[in-house]
Amino acid sequence: MTKLPRSGWLPALTILSCAISGTFNASAQTAPVQLPADIERITTTGSRHGADDNDAPVIISAVGQQDINLVSPTHIEEVLKFIAGAQVQRGNGQEYLPALRSQVFSGAGACGGLLTAEDGIPLRAAGFCNINELFEAHSEMAERVEVLKGPGSALYGSNAVHGVINVITPDTTQGGGLFGYDYGSYGYSRVKLRSGYHYGDGGVGLNASVTRDNGYRVAEGLDQEKLNLRHEHAFSSLTLTTGLTYTNLEQETAGYITGTDAYKDAQLAQANENPEAFRNASSLRLWSRAQWQLDGGDTLSVTPYIRDQDMEFLMHFLPGQPTEENSQQGVGVQSLWTHNVSASVTLNAGIDAEHTEGSLLQYQEQPTTGSAFLVATIPAGKHYDYDVNASLIAAFSELVWRNDSWLLSAGLRYEYIHYDYTNNMNSGRLREDGTACGMGGCRYSRPPSSKNSFTNASPKLGATYLYSDTTQFYANYSLGYRAPQATELYRLQRAQQVADLNSEEARNVEFGVKGNYPGLSYTIAAYYMDKDNFIFRDSNFFNVNDGQSRHTGVELELRWQASQRLDIALAATMASHTYRYNQELGGVNINGNDIDTAPNTIADVRIGYNFTPQVRAELELNHVGEYYTDPENLHEYEGHELVNLRSSWQLTPELTLYARVNNLLDTAYAERADFTSFGGDRYFPGRPRNYMLSATYSW
């Protein structure tokens, strides 16, 4: 497989920047044009308040509403691939595994490497992440999706190790609205409604969607409903904004298909080896942001919030197929004070706190089938039953200094998190009734009730040099962290009685260049990250965290208005994600190997053409490079290239029609591929060529 060169980044970065700048300067002298209007200039993720992030010493990428409308995504993967460094491997239905400047996250607690949020409120409490949690955000009808790349722990705390994905919902309080209908292949349909009322000093509004999908594979399908409510009222020096999000998912899940290259067989790809699998999930979030305009241009915002989530699903991928039920209810508050120390120095500071009560139950209704060892060690009945109360408090501050040519920033966050764990069953590796399993004991082990605490500090330094009105260079150093997740501490296996874990830490160095010309914008970034205390399950099935990994890469994002009619958007990544610790697996030392499910190359190109101001077509080419599917690097997936075609036609100022063809060339591919020692090669197959028609009426 192709490896990323370990050196030579700076010359390559400089040459590429000069080539882009020089090429565009030559063309711009004869045909200056403007970028599409939906390219976002104001973001909230990088600073936790609306700000122009163009000169910030970080990369914050955004997918705007115009792109979201044209794609009309059925899954957030369809728009996150527009972001260099991001990858989402879809499972079935709304399930997925994410990656951001990393391998695809998998395994218990791995979701803690990436923080996800809606309107700045984390979707899950620290310590209680779920790998599929982004389906609890209303990305299908978002105003934009923002991605902060690299450690964001200085602002967001635990879990923002590789970055932050923040779904921004539309401000419906300004009036207007839309009604839309999507109809697609395999019985897909979705109704969309957005409406608001503005009454002078404020307004109210809603943003809703109802989805039905019969699915491509046997015995799969889903019903999903999502709702955003918004209220805003402005007083003399205070603006009060309140939001509510409710989501509900009822999904019949199709599991992996097994066998080498099984996804290439049309009958196998449509089959379902686990027709009994399901996932049901509901979530509710309520927040209210009070923002005061203070003397001297200072601002203060305080945002209390509540979360309530429940999920139940069949673990069809495990022997015995147990069912998991998890829930969490919590309250929290975010605060941010912005103070102008002087004309050139700004201080941002705040305190965050939250308390969460979570629970998890895993039980198996039927006896295990399979080998004598599995039958003896995985009994029917309850495997885990525990509650965890978690409390978090954190303080952060950031100083920003700027003049005509430079911006310097320095930030620090200090965070304390405490878990109070109660085991509601017998302790150890026994059956629910207290009897011992044969062949050495039961597979699942429960630690006795206990308390655990973790403290972490996260510094961040950054600098931006404004080389010219159109070009700037930036660099930053940051340290990200995540406390162990509850499932890593209290959901043990085999002979492990206690998981003695520390927080994962990632040290990241990054530099790059940003260009912004009439008709062209681009960012080029290079990063080098070392992660320590990497938490994993070793060959003894113990949760340990003496792992280490290295993540290096170069990214390019570009949008070019080549002419009044033609525009091109590119997001490309070349990266290397490797193990850097000694561990023997199957007689192979994995030190230096590629981390499994980590393509070295990912690219997405969109070529748009406006036939008239009302008619647009866009051709998308998506590339996912080959990757290994096991840590030993003995098995691999060959990668794939997909072509999608979409178009829009604005019939009237109010009515727009859309047409889309996904997988235009009908390519056989896998959304996700992996390898297990007990099951061999297995895949979530991608859908063959499929279609969607949409109509949207706006007012």
Side-chain angles (χ1 to χ4, degrees), residues 235-257:
F235 302 90
S236 58
S237 60
L238 167 66
T239 300
L240 186 64
T241 306
T242 301
L244 179 146
T245 296
Y246 171 77
T247 70
N248 182 65
L249 173 68
E250 297 178 6
Q251 176 176 296
E252 300 298 323
T253 305
Y256 285 102
I257 58 173

Side-chain angles (χ1 to χ4, degrees), residues 396-590:
F396 65 91
S397 63
E398 178 189 40
L399 273 175
V400 180
W401 173 85
R402 69 180 70 210
N403 65 12
D404 292 339
S405 299
W406 285 93
L407 181 146
L408 304 177
S409 65
L412 177 68
R413 181 185 181 97
Y414 184 82
E415 183 173 283
Y416 170 81
I417 184 169
H418 175 77
Y419 297 138
D420 187 349
Y421 157 75
T422 301
N423 177 25
N424 299 318
M425 294 180 62
N426 55 62
S427 299
R429 52 188 307 193
L430 304 173
R431 292 188 178 94
E432 181 183 0
D433 62 8
T435 60
C437 292
M439 296 194 179
C442 300
R443 174 172 181 165
Y444 300 112
S445 176
R446 298 166 294 275
S449 299
S450 61
K451 298 179 180 180
N452 299 90
S453 299
F454 303 90
T455 57
N456 294 282
S458 177
K460 186 163 190 173
L461 303 172
T464 300
Y465 174 62
L466 306 178
Y467 176 75
S468 68
D469 291 340
T470 57
T471 304
Q472 54 188 262
F473 296 89
Y474 80 93
N476 70 61
Y477 167 81
S478 56
L479 188 148
Y481 62 86
R482 76 167 181 91
Q485 302 295 296
T487 189
E488 294 168 320
L489 289 166
Y490 311 124
R491 206 174 185 178
L492 307 182
Q493 293 191 21
R494 307 290 176 98
Q496 188 172 23
Q497 297 298 306
V498 175
D500 185 15
L501 302 178
N502 298 314
S503 296
E504 285 189 3
E505 292 185 349
R507 296 178 303 281
N508 182 72
V509 177
E510 177 180 345
F511 59 92
V513 59
K514 304 178 185 181
N516 195 356
Y517 297 83
L520 174 75
S521 69
Y522 69 89
T523 61
I524 307 170
Y527 63 90
Y528 184 102
M529 176 192 289
D530 276 345
K531 186 188 292 186
D532 295 319
N533 298 333
F534 182 77
I535 301 173
F536 66 98
R537 180 162 284 154
D538 68 11
S539 56
N540 294 318
F541 288 80
F542 281 30
N543 288 344
V544 297
N545 71 337
D546 54 356
Q548 297 176 312
S549 61
R550 177 161 293 159
H551 309 268
T552 58
V554 178
E555 299 166 349
L556 169 64
E557 290 184 1
L558 178 148
R559 296 197 72 160
W560 178 30
Q561 189 77 40
S563 71
Q564 294 294 337
R565 295 180 182 271
L566 178 67
D567 56 86
I568 298 172
L570 169 66
T573 303
M574 179 179 289
S576 175
H577 309 286
T578 57
Y579 298 105
R580 57 182 187 93
Y581 67 98
N582 293 313
Q583 184 184 11
E584 293 280 340
L585 293 176
V588 176
N589 187 344
I590 66 172

Side-chain angles (χ1 to χ4, degrees), residues 590-610:
I590 66 172
N591 195 348
N593 280 7
D594 280 356
I595 302 177
D596 45 299
T597 326
N600 292 137
T601 57
I602 303 172
D604 191 87
V605 181
R606 290 172 289 147
I607 303 171
Y609 191 82
N610 296 312

Side-chain angles (χ1 to χ4, degrees), residues 125-126 128 307 328-331 354-358 388-392:
F128 296 90
R307 278 188 297 244
Q328 57 176 285
Q329 297 79 39
V331 297
E354 67 178 25
H355 176 78
T356 303
E357 298 180 356
V388 179
N389 293 340
S391 299
L392 177 148

Side-chain angles (χ1 to χ4, degrees), residues 287-316:
W287 55 269
S288 188
R289 180 173 296 115
Q291 182 164 317
W292 288 268
Q293 298 295 326
L294 307 177
D295 295 338
D298 293 2
T299 62
L300 173 65
S301 67
V302 179
T303 309
Y305 58 87
I306 64 172
R307 278 188 297 244
D308 189 349
Q309 286 143 330
D310 292 280
M311 182 181 292
E312 178 185 12
F313 64 99
L314 186 72
M315 304 174 78
H316 58 87

